[in-house]
Amino acid sequence: MTAITWQRRRATASRFWADFRSHRSALAGLGILLFFGLVAVFASVLADPAGLDVTKATAPAHAAPSADYWLGTDQNGRSVLTLLIHGTRVSLIVGLAATAIAIVIGTIVGIMAGFYGGWARSTLMGFTDWFLVIPFLPLAIVMATVLGASLLNIVIVIGVTSWPGTARLVCAQTLSVRERPYMERARALGGGDWHQMTRHILPNVMPLVLAHVVLTVSVAILSETTLSFLGLGDPTRPSWGYILDNAYGTGAMSNGEWWFVLPPGLCVVLVVLAFTLVGRALEVVLNPRLREGS
């Protein structure tokens, strides 16, 4: 029985990969993500962390790109390339961690609202709509200001403010799954609420959640960049938004110091684009209706 199960899983994985790789744009996005992922993992090998310390910077401030400093230096004489490499790790960690929080909250709220219906659905979806109505940026700024500037607080702020879209999606899918025949059989056989939600509903909503995860990561990275650019990020852990904030604060944009502005901006654009391409492809592959329409 175990051998048959694993054989089916391998066949499913093979079909999934065949469908996914038919989207060339998704493969390009996956390649970009693998590149940035490797940079994040080996950041300490690619660039000495000591280069982040302002007190150890010996290069002239605002130096143009050279053989010693490929992307020039910042206002403190630190290598922009070193900041960029270590900023990759921070930006990806914040994006993935905040997305995990948002997905967990959104999935729990969505399943409970769709499964129980009635007053529970009205209450939970009303709470979700309240979060959707409030503009994200002002709410995130207020929360970040109250909690303080730290990497953990930024993760919490983005995660807590990014779950409503997932909750809406999961609730709609749960309502559809709840009416299927096997759910009636599960109830007739005495399956409790927990059993039905974890063994029947959750596996059926996970494909859509997985596709939504990839899209949510891009939003989380943009949110972190925005908050850091506004000076609400962790000053001890440089991210791409932190670099852009320093560039703006020191007048790099008006002084023509492109090496201080363009690289972090391009990194943000490339990573967000890559996650979007992969997420759209996953959405088509995992959703039979979209696959038939395309």
Side-chain angles (χ1 to χ4, degrees), residues 122-143:
S122 300
T123 302
L124 291 173
M125 286 298 99
F127 184 63
T128 303
D129 291 339
W130 182 80
F131 265 90
L132 288 172
V133 169
I134 297 179
F136 163 76
L137 189 57
L139 178 62
I141 291 175
V142 171
M143 291 184 64

Side-chain angles (χ1 to χ4, degrees), residues 68-85:
D68 295 327
Y69 301 97
W70 292 0
L71 292 178
T73 62
D74 67 354
Q75 76 278 10
N76 297 310
R78 296 177 296 177
S79 170
V80 174
L81 181 59
T82 299
L83 294 172
L84 196 68
I85 290 174

Side-chain angles (χ1 to χ4, degrees), residues 6-17:
W6 279 106
Q7 185 177 2
R8 290 177 178 176
R9 289 178 179 177
R10 285 194 295 269
T12 302
S14 299
R15 288 195 301 269
F16 168 81
W17 175 245

Side-chain angles (χ1 to χ4, degrees), residues 221-247:
I221 291 176
L222 278 177
S223 301
E224 187 278 330
T225 302
T226 302
L227 292 175
S228 295
F229 181 76
L230 295 174
L232 298 174
D234 188 346
T236 64
R237 303 289 297 275
S239 66
W240 294 333
Y242 169 86
I243 301 173
L244 290 172
D245 178 45
N246 281 347

Side-chain angles (χ1 to χ4, degrees), residues 5 25 39 44 72 82 93 152 198 204 210 225 235 254 277 282 287:
T5 302
S25 59
V39 171
S44 299
T82 299
I93 287 176
L152 177 61
T198 56
N204 281 279
L210 177 62
T225 302
S254 57
L277 292 175
L282 285 176
N287 191 336

Side-chain angles (χ1 to χ4, degrees), residues 74-240:
D74 67 354
Q75 76 278 10
N76 297 310
R78 296 177 296 177
S79 170
V80 174
L81 181 59
T82 299
L83 294 172
L84 196 68
I85 290 174
H86 287 275
T88 301
R89 175 182 291 178
V90 174
S91 294
L92 290 182
I93 287 176
V94 171
L96 293 173
T99 298
I101 294 175
I103 292 301
V104 169
I105 297 175
T107 301
I108 293 174
V109 172
I111 288 179
M112 292 184 65
F115 180 80
Y116 289 109
W119 67 268
R121 180 188 172 195
S122 300
T123 302
L124 291 173
M125 286 298 99
F127 184 63
T128 303
D129 291 339
W130 182 80
F131 265 90
L132 288 172
V133 169
I134 297 179
F136 163 76
L137 189 57
L139 178 62
I141 291 175
V142 171
M143 291 184 64
T145 303
V146 172
L147 294 176
S150 72
L151 195 63
L152 177 61
N153 289 341
I154 290 297
V155 170
I156 294 173
V157 167
I158 298 175
V160 169
T161 55
S162 302
W163 61 268
T166 302
R168 277 278 175 197
L169 179 68
V170 172
C171 179
Q173 184 68 6
T174 301
L175 289 173
S176 174
V177 173
R178 189 182 63 175
E179 303 302 325
R180 293 177 183 175
Y182 59 79
M183 291 296 296
E184 295 182 6
R185 288 195 295 268
R187 287 190 289 268
L189 292 173
D193 293 350
W194 177 255
H195 174 84
Q196 295 178 52
M197 286 189 287
T198 56
R199 297 296 298 275
H200 298 290
I201 293 179
L202 184 60
N204 281 279
V205 302
M206 279 309 295
L208 288 180
V209 171
L210 177 62
H212 194 65
V213 163
V214 183
L215 297 174
T216 305
V217 173
S218 62
V219 176
I221 291 176
L222 278 177
S223 301
E224 187 278 330
T225 302
T226 302
L227 292 175
S228 295
F229 181 76
L230 295 174
L232 298 174
D234 188 346
T236 64
R237 303 289 297 275
S239 66
W240 294 333

Side-chain angles (χ1 to χ4, degrees), residues 234-279:
D234 188 346
T236 64
R237 303 289 297 275
S239 66
W240 294 333
Y242 169 86
I243 301 173
L244 290 172
D245 178 45
N246 281 347
Y248 178 78
T250 57
M253 298 179 183
S254 57
N255 294 332
E257 298 173 10
W258 60 267
W259 58 87
F260 204 179
V261 180
L262 193 58
L266 283 177
C267 287
V268 173
V269 171
L270 284 175
V271 169
V272 170
L273 177 62
F275 272 114
T276 302
L277 292 175
V278 173

